[in-house]
Amino acid sequence: MKNVLFIFLLGLIIGMSSKDTMAAQEGTISVTATSSNGENTAPLFDKNFYGRMTFKPGDSLTITSSEIMYGIYLEWHFVPSEYEVKYNDKITKGGSNSFLHEYLEFPEGTREVVLTFSEECHLADIYGYGEGEIPASVQRWEPMLDKADMLVLTTHADDEVLFLGGALVEYAGERKLDVQVIYFFDYTPTWKVREHEKLNGLWEMGVRNYPDCGGYKEQSVNGLDHTMQIYEYPKALGWLVERIRKYKPQICVTQDVKGEYGQPHHQMVVKMMMDAVNITADETQYTDSVELHGTHDVAKTYLHLWKENAIKLDTRKPLESFGGRTAYEVCCEAYKKHESQQEFWFYVSDDNEYSMADYGLYRTTVGIDTGNDMMENIISYKR
């Protein structure tokens, strides 16, 4: 019966003109979208990252509501270029931060917003929000950091949950430290939905600064040596050195030197971190990034499952920032956001051989830990 009803409603939506209205999910208000190019705007309300509209330079999209809008949430198919936002005779800019998921706020409220595009843009979904508290699921990203208390380097989308989630939930979500996540792989050219999934998972774990996506395309490899050849290891290492010098983290965290389950991409990324933290303070190494950002010496570097100077985060304590949920429970929910990966064998654990609670101090300039806190002997930049 549900399938029949869904098909009926979908047919009704598709049959509408370019002016389409849909009551959004709970916490949103109903909005209408009209495109200047005359195309049907139903894909903007299907809650599906694959459905989208393409706007050419000069096209505009008018979003209206019978209720006062205080914000709209835009999920782009590709990261947009900068575009014009007009409401209440005011003109601002959208797309300036290159966010794939973007929230536009209208403090005085409005019933009409016009987006005008100067370059080609691809928009997947729109949600409108009225007066009252914005649902926690709406992602209002902050820009990437200038200085990070902690830099978390992950290889693929979902590795940050499965293997590094304990650190992310504790330090970004619960303690509200400045945590910058960096991904080696960007799936925009190959498997775009994973770019959306990574944002949804990070947001669930309490990360609020937009991730830095490396731009590397995932390719099939055969062992570590082949991986280093495919990705031109010296060049890839320079990429990481530049980012460490840019974000100046006090702590770096990354995956397991063995690649958790022997995954060569993971192994190379960890090798990159181990090599990088030993040369970022050397002004004679990768001099281009020295000119851009200066040198930087990371105080502490942790590796997932590293046996020396090992620590185990408490991922079963109730966390105030998550309404009493534990880090384990939060990570389980975050992994569900990676919908495309649910068919595989991976699962979140804090007590199996890939436990996201277990790390070891690989390198330190501030002494060995005496407890299970990565921030031991570190003062945050805000403090």
Side-chain angles (χ1 to χ4, degrees), residues 221-225 227-228 258-259 262-269:
V221 292
N222 182 19
L224 177 58
D225 290 342
T227 307
M228 294 173 65
K258 297 180 181 178
Q263 215 285 344
H265 293 139
H266 299 183
Q267 292 173 334
M268 188 190 75
V269 166

Side-chain angles (χ1 to χ4, degrees), residues 21-22 24 27-34 45 61-74 85-88 103-115 126-132 134:
T21 305
M22 175 169 291
T28 68
I29 60 175
S30 180
V31 298
T32 297
T34 306
F45 300 96
L61 180 69
T62 301
I63 303 164
T64 59
S65 175
S66 60
E67 302 177 63
I68 296 178
M69 292 183 289
Y70 288 93
I72 55 174
Y73 184 46
L74 306 174
V85 180
K86 184 177 181 180
Y87 68 99
N88 298 347
Y103 184 75
L104 302 180
E105 188 173 13
F106 316 116
E108 308 89 355
T110 185
R111 284 190 168 87
E112 180 178 283
V113 181
V114 181
L115 312 181
I126 299 175
Y127 301 89
Y129 294 91
E131 190 174 13
I134 300 169

